[in-house]
Amino acid sequence: MSASDALKLLLLSTLWGMSFIFMRVAAPEFGPLPLVLIRMGLAALLLAPLVLMSSHYLRLVRENLGPLALLGFLNHVLPFSLLALATMRLEAGFTSLINATTPIFTALIGAACFATPIRKHQYLGLAVAFLGVYVLSADRLDFALGGDGWYILAVLGATCGYGLAGNYSKTRLSHLPVRVLAAGSCGMSGLMLLIPGLLMWPQGSISSMAWASAIAIAVLSSALAFLLYFSLLASAGATAASTVTFLVPVSALLWGYLLLDESLNGRILIGMAITLAGTAVATGMLPWQWRRTSKTTSS
């Protein structure tokens, strides 16, 4: 990875880590759907010139409205709404750690629905990652009224949406340029959210801090972050880009601690280490295969 790619990776992890902070601030005042409407609506407006400048890209969007709408629902509308709902109750850093299991659900959904094989070492990674989630949330799995259990399930539901979207995009939409995927899916998401978002628009006044957070999550953590991610994907490859999964929770925990006075205790740190280690094994980021190869060669 070049120095410029490493800088992109750090900036991307910061922007996506900050998205949990922005949701934590804005969601209680806007509500989940109005907040995601702002996020997707503004992001779509900012990304629209990427396709409007080319008749070819515009034609591709028109020809793939259905698939782009499905991608927008799975990758934006569903997970963003569930995460916004979760951050109304859960700490930003805690939410980001549960969300870091996205590659795990991507692998499971790929095997179950898209005939993607799971290698032996991935089963170990899956088990370890779920153990980490249990360590993180065991004392908070309360499903009684006012408990955290349903909000934790909402985060896991968001990761399922990401998993479906990742597999669907890879197997059905890989022929489309990334700018068409980004701008088209954001535009369709904004249209889907327009009526329900307006119907659920809050009646009371909204603070300037909540508005600033809503605009920031749209401009910085959506439009700019998508461009950075796709640029990193093109220049450094999928493996390097996937390492952002491990940096986002660290960023969210740090910013949550500094800006929102969220606590960092031993359970969170241990759960984070276990969850990220399991995810790293499952996605091949840890040199599991290298150790096996070295052992075979030496024998």
Side-chain angles (χ1 to χ4, degrees):
M1 186 183 297
S2 67
S4 62
D5 285 337
L7 183 60
K8 290 178 187 176
L9 183 66
L10 290 175
L11 180 57
L12 180 62
S13 66
T14 299
L15 293 177
W16 275 346
M18 286 295 295
S19 71
F20 292 91
I21 309 299
F22 297 143
M23 283 189 287
R24 180 72 169 155
V25 173
E29 295 193 42
F30 280 98
L33 290 183
L35 176 59
V36 182
L37 170 61
I38 295 172
R39 180 175 188 174
M40 289 293 93
L42 283 179
L45 290 175
L46 291 171
L47 293 172
L50 295 179
V51 296
L52 293 176
M53 67 177 58
S54 168
S55 59
H56 172 64
Y57 291 141
L58 192 58
R59 178 178 58 83
L60 288 177
V61 170
R62 288 198 300 265
E63 291 176 350
N64 294 275
L65 287 178
L68 288 171
L70 180 57
L71 177 63
F73 176 77
L74 294 175
N75 199 61
H76 305 323
V77 175
L78 178 64
F80 289 171
S81 299
L82 289 173
L83 289 174
L85 173 64
T87 53
M88 294 177 68
R89 174 79 180 192
L90 305 177
E91 299 88 347
F94 179 84
T95 305
S96 71
L97 283 171
I98 305 296
N99 188 64
T101 59
T102 292
I104 304 300
F105 285 92
T106 301
L108 290 175
I109 291 171
C113 305
F114 295 88
T116 304
I118 297 182
R119 296 184 176 91
K120 290 182 178 180
H121 73 274
Q122 288 182 295
Y123 287 108
L124 173 62
L126 294 172
V128 172
F130 281 122
L131 174 63
V133 172
Y134 177 77
V135 171
L136 281 170
S137 58
D139 62 334
R140 304 183 66 169
L141 289 175
D142 180 6
F143 293 95
L145 184 64
D148 293 340
W150 295 111
Y151 297 92
I152 293 173
L153 286 184
V155 183
L156 293 175
T159 64
C160 287
Y162 287 136
L164 283 167
N167 282 286
Y168 177 71
S169 178
K170 180 179 179 181
T171 58
R172 301 289 192 270
L173 301 177
S174 59
H175 63 288
L176 293 178
V178 293
R179 65 178 62 189
V180 171
L181 292 174
S185 63
C186 286
M188 296 305 294
S189 298
L191 289 175
M192 280 186 280
L193 287 162
L194 182 59
I195 293 177
L198 291 178
L199 288 176
M200 300 185 70
W201 195 265
Q203 298 298 316
S205 61
I206 300 171
S207 69
S208 58
M209 183 64 71
W211 270 112
S213 297
I215 294 172
I217 199 174
V219 176
L220 301 178
S221 300
S222 298
L224 179 57
F226 286 150
L227 293 177
L228 275 174
Y229 175 73
F230 289 126
S231 174
L232 184 65
L233 196 65
S235 60
T239 300
S242 68
T243 57
V244 73
T245 301
F246 310 99
L247 296 176
V248 168
V250 177
S251 172
L253 282 169
L254 177 62
W255 289 115
Y257 175 77
L258 293 176
L259 299 178
L260 302 180
D261 199 27
E262 295 183 351
S263 62
L264 284 176
N265 54 46
R267 178 187 286 271
I268 290 177
L269 295 177
I270 293 172
M272 177 180 70
I274 297 174
T275 302
L276 296 185
T279 303
V281 171
T283 56
M285 294 303 297
L286 283 183
W288 176 272
Q289 293 178 332
W290 179 84
R291 291 197 297 269
R292 291 184 62 191
T293 304
S294 299
K295 184 177 179 179
T296 303
T297 303
S298 61
S299 60

